[in-house]
Amino acid sequence: MKRDKVTLLFGGSGFVGSNISKAFTSNSIRHLAIGTKECDLTKKEEVVQLLDPFKNYELDIIFTSSIVRKKEDSKKSQISNVSMVKNLAELVKDLEINSFIFFSSIDVYHHDMNEFSETSQTKNNSPYAISKMESEKILHDALRDKLTILRMPGVYGPNDKFNSVIGHLINIMNNKQKVEITNKGMQTRDYLFVDDISRAVLSLRKGPCSGIFNLSTGNSIKLIEIIDIIASNLKVTPKLEEVNSDTTQKFINISNKKFLNTFSEFNFTPIESGIRKYIDTLI
């Protein structure tokens, strides 16, 4: 007997998850967006209750749920993030899983690397990074070749409520406030436009591919250049203020070759275009 198919989108009420949900709706993909109101993933009994009606379905699962580093980066948040994944992983053995996409972070990589590739050394850089590393292992042990792990940098785009680095810079510059910089803004960064995530997930649904993938533009850019792009689009002159910082991570370069080799027709949004699209929504 052929099973009905449905996609369960955990974290569906968050910035990234809600964007994926909109893309699914636009493409007539049957899915259930699950936020904290629908299920507290740290409570196993609630996860059991949620999943029980889906035992006779073929499931694609997308997991974006997380206490993000900016909100809280502590031992407590680490435990909560891992428990959410552990509770779900313990129950998937009783389900028909077609694919499982887990959203991880480039924070797991050793910060001293010149370039982050999927085979780069990982390191316990923070409680948040530890939670992602532990979650990756838990899910790999439970799902093996049905698991896709996406390691991503910071994400930005419309409706991020100015919580992203790009959004924060746009907001303070639009309000003619000072922009605090370190290292004269020479550190390189690679930020991901939120629509690219939705398109990547759609590509993975059409052609599921297990393993670890960096999801990034692959083009690092100096922070001062990002500031200049924002200033140009806002038509303002940025007010820069050099501040002291103990940061040691001056450069971030992320390889996306593995993803592009797998999905050769995929194009990432250049940061110039992403910033312009973001600012256009504010006008």
Side-chain angles (χ1 to χ4, degrees), residues 23-269:
F24 280 0
T25 299
S26 297
N27 287 272
S28 301
I29 295 173
R30 185 184 182 190
H31 71 287
L32 177 64
I34 303 161
T36 52
K37 291 182 179 179
E38 290 74 31
C39 180
D40 183 348
L41 292 171
T42 64
K43 297 178 180 178
K44 190 173 181 179
E45 63 274 13
E46 290 194 22
V47 184
V48 171
Q49 186 176 7
L50 174 75
L51 294 178
D52 189 64
F54 296 101
K55 286 186 176 179
N56 294 320
Y57 285 77
E58 182 179 334
L59 299 176
D60 290 301
I61 295 179
I62 301 170
F63 196 94
T64 72
S65 299
S66 180
I67 300 173
V68 297
R69 180 165 54 92
K70 185 172 182 178
K71 182 176 181 180
E72 182 180 348
D73 193 12
S74 65
K75 184 68 176 180
K76 180 181 177 182
S77 63
Q78 173 191 329
I79 292 171
S80 294
N81 281 337
V82 173
S83 68
M84 287 190 281
V85 170
K86 187 176 181 180
N87 287 338
L88 189 56
E90 290 177 354
L91 298 171
V92 293
K93 63 181 182 296
D94 298 323
L95 302 171
E96 184 65 32
I97 305 296
N98 178 54
S99 68
F100 193 115
I101 300 175
F102 175 68
F103 282 62
S104 189
S105 169
I106 63 163
D107 284 2
V108 303
Y109 291 122
H110 197 296
H111 285 176
D112 292 336
M113 302 296 294
N114 291 326
E115 182 181 62
F116 301 155
S117 72
E118 291 80 358
T119 58
S120 294
Q121 181 183 356
T122 57
K123 185 179 180 181
N124 301 339
N125 298 299
S126 67
Y128 179 72
I130 295 171
S131 74
K132 290 299 184 183
M133 292 171 66
E134 291 183 356
S135 296
E136 287 184 11
K137 184 179 186 306
I138 290 168
L139 290 172
H140 179 265
D141 291 343
L143 294 155
R144 301 292 177 180
D145 60 356
K146 296 180 180 180
L147 174 66
T148 303
I149 294 171
L150 300 178
R151 291 177 176 167
M152 304 186 303
V155 180
Y156 72 99
N159 302 316
D160 70 11
K161 299 179 181 179
F162 304 120
N163 286 322
S164 66
V165 172
I166 298 292
H168 174 69
L169 288 170
I170 289 173
N171 188 42
I172 62 176
M173 291 169 66
N174 196 35
N175 287 293
K176 298 179 174 56
Q177 298 173 342
K178 289 183 179 179
V179 180
E180 295 184 349
I181 61 172
T182 61
N183 308 310
K184 297 183 179 180
M186 299 303 289
Q187 59 269 46
T188 58
R189 295 292 184 264
D190 188 347
Y191 295 113
L192 184 64
F193 191 60
V194 67
D195 288 356
D196 291 355
I197 299 175
S198 300
R199 293 192 298 109
V201 170
L202 290 172
S203 295
L204 284 163
R205 284 194 81 262
K206 292 178 182 177
C209 190
S210 63
I212 299 172
F213 295 89
N214 288 338
L215 197 65
S216 71
T217 71
N219 293 311
S220 294
I221 183 172
K222 295 175 183 177
L223 184 61
I224 193 64
E225 293 175 330
I226 294 174
I227 292 171
D228 287 341
I229 293 168
I230 294 171
S232 176
N233 279 273
L234 289 174
K235 296 180 174 56
V236 300
T237 300
K239 301 176 182 178
L240 305 181
E241 181 179 6
E242 183 80 20
V243 296
N244 294 325
S245 174
D246 60 355
T247 180
T248 57
Q249 190 174 346
K250 296 183 176 65
F251 305 101
I252 293 179
N253 297 294
I254 309 165
S255 171
N256 63 6
K257 292 178 182 178
K258 183 178 178 181
F259 185 85
L260 291 180
N261 285 340
T262 305
F263 300 97
S264 58
E265 296 182 358
F266 194 92
N267 293 306
F268 286 95
T269 302

